[in-house]
mmCIF file of all heavy atoms in Angstrom:
data_model
loop_
_atom_site.group_PDB
_atom_site.id
_atom_site.type_symbol
_atom_site.label_atom_id
_atom_site.label_comp_id
_atom_site.label_asym_id
_atom_site.label_seq_id
_atom_site.Cartn_x
_atom_site.Cartn_y
_atom_site.Cartn_z
ATOM 1 N N ALA A 121 2.491 -16.349 7.089
ATOM 2 C CA ALA A 121 3.896 -15.864 6.953
ATOM 3 C C ALA A 121 4.167 -14.711 7.782
ATOM 4 O O ALA A 121 3.362 -13.658 7.708
ATOM 5 C CB ALA A 121 4.128 -15.512 5.444
ATOM 6 N N VAL A 122 5.110 -14.683 8.624
ATOM 7 C CA VAL A 122 5.465 -13.660 9.661
ATOM 8 C C VAL A 122 6.668 -12.961 9.265
ATOM 9 O O VAL A 122 7.689 -13.623 8.929
ATOM 10 C CB VAL A 122 5.504 -14.292 11.028
ATOM 11 C CG1 VAL A 122 6.011 -13.228 12.056
ATOM 12 C CG2 VAL A 122 4.086 -14.865 11.447
ATOM 13 N N VAL A 123 6.623 -11.658 9.495
ATOM 14 C CA VAL A 123 7.905 -10.808 9.435
ATOM 15 C C VAL A 123 8.156 -10.298 10.858
ATOM 16 O O VAL A 123 7.360 -9.556 11.332
ATOM 17 C CB VAL A 123 7.809 -9.662 8.352
ATOM 18 C CG1 VAL A 123 9.107 -8.883 8.459
ATOM 19 C CG2 VAL A 123 7.553 -10.268 6.980
ATOM 20 N N GLU A 124 9.240 -10.720 11.442
ATOM 21 C CA GLU A 124 9.495 -10.284 12.800
ATOM 22 C C GLU A 124 10.168 -8.864 12.750
ATOM 23 O O GLU A 124 10.921 -8.547 11.879
ATOM 24 C CB GLU A 124 10.366 -11.308 13.615
ATOM 25 C CG GLU A 124 9.695 -12.590 13.852
ATOM 26 C CD GLU A 124 10.584 -13.472 14.657
ATOM 27 O OE1 GLU A 124 11.592 -13.035 15.116
ATOM 28 O OE2 GLU A 124 10.184 -14.557 14.872
ATOM 29 N N ARG A 125 9.970 -8.157 13.923
ATOM 30 C CA ARG A 125 10.696 -6.821 14.081
ATOM 31 C C ARG A 125 12.114 -7.117 14.405
ATOM 32 O O ARG A 125 12.410 -8.144 15.042
ATOM 33 C CB ARG A 125 10.036 -6.049 15.220
ATOM 34 C CG ARG A 125 8.632 -5.722 15.008
ATOM 35 C CD ARG A 125 8.079 -4.721 16.116
ATOM 36 N NE ARG A 125 6.700 -4.495 15.850
ATOM 37 C CZ ARG A 125 6.185 -3.564 15.021
ATOM 38 N NH1 ARG A 125 6.944 -2.918 14.295
ATOM 39 N NH2 ARG A 125 4.894 -3.420 14.948
ATOM 40 N N VAL A 126 13.035 -6.231 13.923
ATOM 41 C CA VAL A 126 14.522 -6.456 14.068
ATOM 42 C C VAL A 126 14.955 -5.337 15.008
ATOM 43 O O VAL A 126 14.634 -4.177 14.672
ATOM 44 C CB VAL A 126 15.200 -6.432 12.700
ATOM 45 C CG1 VAL A 126 16.650 -6.507 12.928
ATOM 46 C CG2 VAL A 126 14.720 -7.582 11.807
ATOM 47 N N PRO A 127 15.706 -5.631 15.973
ATOM 48 C CA PRO A 127 16.073 -4.649 16.960
ATOM 49 C C PRO A 127 17.185 -3.745 16.287
ATOM 50 O O PRO A 127 18.125 -4.271 15.623
ATOM 51 C CB PRO A 127 16.659 -5.300 18.076
ATOM 52 C CG PRO A 127 17.047 -6.636 17.589
ATOM 53 C CD PRO A 127 16.030 -6.944 16.618
ATOM 54 N N VAL A 128 17.062 -2.424 16.392
ATOM 55 C CA VAL A 128 18.185 -1.476 15.837
ATOM 56 C C VAL A 128 18.811 -0.802 16.933
ATOM 57 O O VAL A 128 20.020 -0.594 16.925
ATOM 58 C CB VAL A 128 17.428 -0.374 14.968
ATOM 59 C CG1 VAL A 128 18.452 0.675 14.403
ATOM 60 C CG2 VAL A 128 16.713 -1.073 13.703
ATOM 61 N N VAL A 129 18.207 -0.505 18.030
ATOM 62 C CA VAL A 129 18.780 0.117 19.213
ATOM 63 C C VAL A 129 18.021 -0.424 20.476
ATOM 64 O O VAL A 129 16.968 -1.084 20.389
ATOM 65 C CB VAL A 129 18.640 1.695 19.222
ATOM 66 C CG1 VAL A 129 19.484 2.260 18.068
ATOM 67 C CG2 VAL A 129 17.188 2.115 19.068
ATOM 68 N N TYR A 130 18.622 -0.155 21.617
ATOM 69 C CA TYR A 130 17.965 -0.475 22.868
ATOM 70 C C TYR A 130 18.119 0.645 23.908
ATOM 71 O O TYR A 130 18.991 1.557 23.733
ATOM 72 C CB TYR A 130 18.511 -1.799 23.467
ATOM 73 C CG TYR A 130 19.848 -1.557 24.279
ATOM 74 C CD1 TYR A 130 19.941 -1.347 25.598
ATOM 75 C CD2 TYR A 130 21.128 -1.695 23.500
ATOM 76 C CE1 TYR A 130 21.039 -1.218 26.349
ATOM 77 C CE2 TYR A 130 22.279 -1.418 24.254
ATOM 78 C CZ TYR A 130 22.301 -1.223 25.653
ATOM 79 O OH TYR A 130 23.428 -1.035 26.277
ATOM 80 N N LYS A 131 17.264 0.705 24.941
ATOM 81 C CA LYS A 131 17.311 1.751 25.911
ATOM 82 C C LYS A 131 16.896 1.043 27.236
ATOM 83 O O LYS A 131 16.050 0.278 27.375
ATOM 84 C CB LYS A 131 16.366 2.904 25.659
ATOM 85 C CG LYS A 131 16.451 4.084 26.662
ATOM 86 C CD LYS A 131 15.592 5.203 26.255
ATOM 87 C CE LYS A 131 15.551 6.304 27.286
ATOM 88 N NZ LYS A 131 16.852 6.897 27.479
ATOM 89 N N ASP A 132 17.651 1.457 28.294
ATOM 90 C CA ASP A 132 17.398 0.868 29.683
ATOM 91 C C ASP A 132 16.240 1.518 30.334
ATOM 92 O O ASP A 132 16.106 2.787 30.281
ATOM 93 C CB ASP A 132 18.667 1.048 30.525
ATOM 94 C CG ASP A 132 19.772 0.153 30.130
ATOM 95 O OD1 ASP A 132 19.495 -0.985 29.600
ATOM 96 O OD2 ASP A 132 20.939 0.607 30.181
ATOM 97 N N PHE A 133 15.357 0.730 30.933
ATOM 98 C CA PHE A 133 14.297 1.224 31.753
ATOM 99 C C PHE A 133 14.259 0.517 33.054
ATOM 100 O O PHE A 133 15.031 -0.498 33.214
ATOM 101 C CB PHE A 133 12.977 0.924 30.934
ATOM 102 C CG PHE A 133 12.652 1.872 29.796
ATOM 103 C CD1 PHE A 133 13.152 1.584 28.535
ATOM 104 C CD2 PHE A 133 11.950 3.020 29.969
ATOM 105 C CE1 PHE A 133 12.985 2.335 27.445
ATOM 106 C CE2 PHE A 133 11.743 3.836 28.972
ATOM 107 C CZ PHE A 133 12.250 3.525 27.638
ATOM 108 N N PRO A 134 13.567 0.946 33.983
ATOM 109 C CA PRO A 134 13.465 0.258 35.355
ATOM 110 C C PRO A 134 13.266 -1.311 35.260
ATOM 111 O O PRO A 134 13.716 -2.065 36.114
ATOM 112 C CB PRO A 134 12.398 0.901 36.104
ATOM 113 C CG PRO A 134 12.362 2.264 35.492
ATOM 114 C CD PRO A 134 12.668 2.141 34.110
ATOM 115 N N ASP A 135 12.434 -1.730 34.332
ATOM 116 C CA ASP A 135 12.115 -3.190 34.137
ATOM 117 C C ASP A 135 13.142 -3.892 33.241
ATOM 118 O O ASP A 135 12.942 -5.020 32.974
ATOM 119 C CB ASP A 135 10.731 -3.432 33.699
ATOM 120 C CG ASP A 135 10.404 -2.790 32.346
ATOM 121 O OD1 ASP A 135 11.213 -1.901 31.931
ATOM 122 O OD2 ASP A 135 9.429 -3.170 31.694
ATOM 123 N N GLY A 136 14.128 -3.135 32.818
ATOM 124 C CA GLY A 136 15.139 -3.880 31.937
ATOM 125 C C GLY A 136 15.253 -3.177 30.646
ATOM 126 O O GLY A 136 14.595 -2.212 30.274
ATOM 127 N N PRO A 137 16.196 -3.671 29.816
ATOM 128 C CA PRO A 137 16.471 -2.967 28.441
ATOM 129 C C PRO A 137 15.212 -3.278 27.565
ATOM 130 O O PRO A 137 14.610 -4.365 27.551
ATOM 131 C CB PRO A 137 17.637 -3.775 27.925
ATOM 132 C CG PRO A 137 18.257 -4.445 29.117
ATOM 133 C CD PRO A 137 17.204 -4.743 30.100
ATOM 134 N N HIS A 138 14.847 -2.184 26.833
ATOM 135 C CA HIS A 138 13.754 -2.310 25.822
ATOM 136 C C HIS A 138 14.379 -2.237 24.471
ATOM 137 O O HIS A 138 15.233 -1.371 24.178
ATOM 138 C CB HIS A 138 12.749 -1.200 26.019
ATOM 139 C CG HIS A 138 11.892 -1.331 27.221
ATOM 140 N ND1 HIS A 138 10.567 -0.961 27.228
ATOM 141 C CD2 HIS A 138 12.078 -1.921 28.440
ATOM 142 C CE1 HIS A 138 10.007 -1.180 28.421
ATOM 143 N NE2 HIS A 138 10.932 -1.780 29.156
ATOM 144 N N LEU A 139 13.873 -3.069 23.520
ATOM 145 C CA LEU A 139 14.428 -3.153 22.206
ATOM 146 C C LEU A 139 13.478 -2.330 21.263
ATOM 147 O O LEU A 139 12.204 -2.438 21.383
ATOM 148 C CB LEU A 139 14.562 -4.552 21.698
ATOM 149 C CG LEU A 139 15.336 -5.514 22.515
ATOM 150 C CD1 LEU A 139 15.337 -6.885 21.879
ATOM 151 C CD2 LEU A 139 16.674 -5.033 22.897
ATOM 152 N N PHE A 140 14.037 -1.522 20.352
ATOM 153 C CA PHE A 140 13.280 -0.721 19.409
ATOM 154 C C PHE A 140 13.623 -1.049 17.959
ATOM 155 O O PHE A 140 14.853 -1.273 17.694
ATOM 156 C CB PHE A 140 13.605 0.733 19.661
ATOM 157 C CG PHE A 140 13.159 1.319 20.903
ATOM 158 C CD1 PHE A 140 13.870 1.164 22.125
ATOM 159 C CD2 PHE A 140 11.912 2.012 21.103
ATOM 160 C CE1 PHE A 140 13.467 1.541 23.317
ATOM 161 C CE2 PHE A 140 11.490 2.434 22.328
ATOM 162 C CZ PHE A 140 12.202 2.268 23.396
ATOM 163 N N ASP A 141 12.661 -1.132 17.163
ATOM 164 C CA ASP A 141 12.960 -1.430 15.673
ATOM 165 C C ASP A 141 13.118 -0.195 14.904
ATOM 166 O O ASP A 141 13.109 0.911 15.513
ATOM 167 C CB ASP A 141 11.812 -2.348 15.094
ATOM 168 C CG ASP A 141 10.585 -1.598 14.923
ATOM 169 O OD1 ASP A 141 10.437 -0.377 15.297
ATOM 170 O OD2 ASP A 141 9.604 -2.182 14.326
ATOM 171 N N ARG A 142 13.197 -0.263 13.579
ATOM 172 C CA ARG A 142 13.564 0.893 12.791
ATOM 173 C C ARG A 142 12.393 1.915 12.770
ATOM 174 O O ARG A 142 12.697 3.065 12.309
ATOM 175 C CB ARG A 142 13.815 0.379 11.318
ATOM 176 C CG ARG A 142 12.682 -0.236 10.662
ATOM 177 C CD ARG A 142 13.055 -0.802 9.207
ATOM 178 N NE ARG A 142 13.485 0.293 8.487
ATOM 179 C CZ ARG A 142 14.501 0.218 7.506
ATOM 180 N NH1 ARG A 142 15.122 -0.881 7.279
ATOM 181 N NH2 ARG A 142 14.756 1.321 6.709
ATOM 182 N N ASP A 143 11.254 1.501 13.137
ATOM 183 C CA ASP A 143 10.072 2.450 13.203
ATOM 184 C C ASP A 143 9.929 3.052 14.537
ATOM 185 O O ASP A 143 8.952 3.803 14.809
ATOM 186 C CB ASP A 143 8.797 1.795 12.814
ATOM 187 C CG ASP A 143 8.923 1.318 11.359
ATOM 188 O OD1 ASP A 143 9.442 2.077 10.471
ATOM 189 O OD2 ASP A 143 8.510 0.161 11.072
ATOM 190 N N GLY A 144 10.811 2.733 15.488
ATOM 191 C CA GLY A 144 10.705 3.312 16.840
ATOM 192 C C GLY A 144 9.735 2.549 17.731
ATOM 193 O O GLY A 144 9.405 3.003 18.796
ATOM 194 N N VAL A 145 9.399 1.320 17.326
ATOM 195 C CA VAL A 145 8.432 0.553 18.081
ATOM 196 C C VAL A 145 9.177 -0.254 19.203
ATOM 197 O O VAL A 145 10.127 -0.978 18.954
ATOM 198 C CB VAL A 145 7.688 -0.411 17.275
ATOM 199 C CG1 VAL A 145 6.719 -1.305 18.095
ATOM 200 C CG2 VAL A 145 6.813 0.369 16.255
ATOM 201 N N ASP A 146 8.704 -0.037 20.482
ATOM 202 C CA ASP A 146 9.265 -0.774 21.625
ATOM 203 C C ASP A 146 8.617 -2.193 21.606
ATOM 204 O O ASP A 146 7.479 -2.287 21.999
ATOM 205 C CB ASP A 146 8.924 0.023 22.881
ATOM 206 C CG ASP A 146 9.365 -0.711 24.132
ATOM 207 O OD1 ASP A 146 9.861 -1.847 24.015
ATOM 208 O OD2 ASP A 146 9.250 -0.145 25.212
ATOM 209 N N PHE A 147 9.318 -3.180 21.100
ATOM 210 C CA PHE A 147 8.599 -4.397 20.899
ATOM 211 C C PHE A 147 9.047 -5.615 21.766
ATOM 212 O O PHE A 147 8.515 -6.739 21.660
ATOM 213 C CB PHE A 147 8.816 -4.832 19.414
ATOM 214 C CG PHE A 147 10.201 -5.280 19.042
ATOM 215 C CD1 PHE A 147 10.660 -6.598 19.133
ATOM 216 C CD2 PHE A 147 11.138 -4.320 18.508
ATOM 217 C CE1 PHE A 147 11.965 -6.990 18.784
ATOM 218 C CE2 PHE A 147 12.426 -4.614 18.267
ATOM 219 C CZ PHE A 147 12.869 -5.973 18.274
ATOM 220 N N ALA A 148 10.113 -5.418 22.615
ATOM 221 C CA ALA A 148 10.595 -6.461 23.486
ATOM 222 C C ALA A 148 11.333 -5.966 24.695
ATOM 223 O O ALA A 148 11.918 -4.812 24.585
ATOM 224 C CB ALA A 148 11.432 -7.415 22.635
ATOM 225 N N THR A 149 11.316 -6.747 25.713
ATOM 226 C CA THR A 149 12.066 -6.371 26.917
ATOM 227 C C THR A 149 12.981 -7.527 27.265
ATOM 228 O O THR A 149 12.509 -8.708 27.294
ATOM 229 C CB THR A 149 11.162 -6.150 28.108
ATOM 230 O OG1 THR A 149 10.176 -5.064 27.776
ATOM 231 C CG2 THR A 149 11.931 -5.689 29.360
ATOM 232 N N GLY A 150 14.253 -7.239 27.331
ATOM 233 C CA GLY A 150 15.154 -8.333 27.582
ATOM 234 C C GLY A 150 16.623 -7.927 27.140
ATOM 235 O O GLY A 150 16.863 -6.873 26.729
ATOM 236 N N ALA A 151 17.526 -8.863 27.385
ATOM 237 C CA ALA A 151 18.939 -8.632 27.041
ATOM 238 C C ALA A 151 19.069 -8.309 25.546
ATOM 239 O O ALA A 151 18.552 -9.033 24.762
ATOM 240 C CB ALA A 151 19.718 -9.804 27.358
ATOM 241 N N PRO A 152 19.753 -7.208 25.232
ATOM 242 C CA PRO A 152 19.864 -6.785 23.854
ATOM 243 C C PRO A 152 20.887 -7.670 23.162
ATOM 244 O O PRO A 152 21.841 -8.175 23.869
ATOM 245 C CB PRO A 152 20.405 -5.326 23.906
ATOM 246 C CG PRO A 152 21.055 -5.275 25.227
ATOM 247 C CD PRO A 152 20.303 -6.113 26.153
ATOM 248 N N PRO A 153 20.829 -7.870 21.858
ATOM 249 C CA PRO A 153 21.798 -8.584 21.159
ATOM 250 C C PRO A 153 23.254 -7.941 21.321
ATOM 251 O O PRO A 153 23.333 -6.694 21.584
ATOM 252 C CB PRO A 153 21.454 -8.585 19.706
ATOM 253 C CG PRO A 153 19.930 -8.366 19.803
ATOM 254 C CD PRO A 153 19.676 -7.407 20.984
ATOM 255 N N ARG A 154 24.325 -8.673 21.263
ATOM 256 C CA ARG A 154 25.658 -8.125 21.303
ATOM 257 C C ARG A 154 25.820 -7.095 20.211
ATOM 258 O O ARG A 154 25.422 -7.202 19.086
ATOM 259 C CB ARG A 154 26.615 -9.295 21.061
ATOM 260 C CG ARG A 154 28.123 -8.868 21.274
ATOM 261 C CD ARG A 154 28.995 -10.139 21.171
ATOM 262 N NE ARG A 154 30.391 -9.710 21.219
ATOM 263 C CZ ARG A 154 31.063 -9.369 20.115
ATOM 264 N NH1 ARG A 154 30.540 -9.535 18.952
ATOM 265 N NH2 ARG A 154 32.420 -9.068 20.199
ATOM 266 N N MET A 155 26.473 -6.018 20.577
ATOM 267 C CA MET A 155 26.837 -4.772 19.786
ATOM 268 C C MET A 155 25.624 -4.001 19.341
ATOM 269 O O MET A 155 25.708 -3.108 18.469
ATOM 270 C CB MET A 155 27.617 -5.256 18.545
ATOM 271 C CG MET A 155 29.008 -5.934 18.882
ATOM 272 S SD MET A 155 30.076 -4.820 19.728
ATOM 273 C CE MET A 155 30.305 -3.610 18.513
ATOM 274 N N LEU A 156 24.498 -4.185 19.937
ATOM 275 C CA LEU A 156 23.267 -3.318 19.633
ATOM 276 C C LEU A 156 23.637 -2.032 20.200
ATOM 277 O O LEU A 156 23.888 -1.890 21.534
ATOM 278 C CB LEU A 156 22.001 -3.943 20.160
ATOM 279 C CG LEU A 156 20.758 -3.289 19.638
ATOM 280 C CD1 LEU A 156 20.572 -3.628 18.119
ATOM 281 C CD2 LEU A 156 19.581 -3.756 20.429
ATOM 282 N N PRO A 157 23.377 -0.837 19.520
ATOM 283 C CA PRO A 157 23.707 0.506 20.109
ATOM 284 C C PRO A 157 22.742 0.863 21.115
ATOM 285 O O PRO A 157 21.522 0.539 21.089
ATOM 286 C CB PRO A 157 23.560 1.385 18.856
ATOM 287 C CG PRO A 157 23.682 0.493 17.690
ATOM 288 C CD PRO A 157 23.110 -0.860 18.141
ATOM 289 N N PHE A 158 23.271 1.617 22.184
ATOM 290 C CA PHE A 158 22.430 2.201 23.196
ATOM 291 C C PHE A 158 21.672 3.383 22.608
ATOM 292 O O PHE A 158 22.376 4.203 21.876
ATOM 293 C CB PHE A 158 23.274 2.624 24.477
ATOM 294 C CG PHE A 158 22.445 3.180 25.493
ATOM 295 C CD1 PHE A 158 21.683 2.471 26.418
ATOM 296 C CD2 PHE A 158 22.502 4.617 25.647
ATOM 297 C CE1 PHE A 158 20.896 3.093 27.415
ATOM 298 C CE2 PHE A 158 21.717 5.290 26.663
ATOM 299 C CZ PHE A 158 20.962 4.470 27.477
ATOM 300 N N PHE A 159 20.444 3.659 22.918
ATOM 301 C CA PHE A 159 19.599 4.703 22.377
ATOM 302 C C PHE A 159 19.518 5.835 23.418
ATOM 303 O O PHE A 159 18.831 5.660 24.449
ATOM 304 C CB PHE A 159 18.233 4.146 21.974
ATOM 305 C CG PHE A 159 17.539 5.004 21.006
ATOM 306 C CD1 PHE A 159 18.197 5.783 20.090
ATOM 307 C CD2 PHE A 159 16.183 4.906 20.901
ATOM 308 C CE1 PHE A 159 17.570 6.488 19.122
ATOM 309 C CE2 PHE A 159 15.434 5.649 19.950
ATOM 310 C CZ PHE A 159 16.172 6.384 19.016
#
Side-chain angles (χ1 to χ4, degrees):
V122 171
V123 177
E124 293 188 1
R125 298 188 187 276
V126 177
V128 177
V129 292
Y130 80 94
K131 184 175 175 65
D132 289 325
F133 286 88
D135 62 342
H138 286 215
L139 307 183
F140 294 82
D141 71 357
R142 62 183 300 145
D143 298 316
V145 175
D146 177 354
F147 69 91
T149 303
R154 183 175 175 272
M155 296 301 294
L156 192 71
F158 178 79
F159 202 26

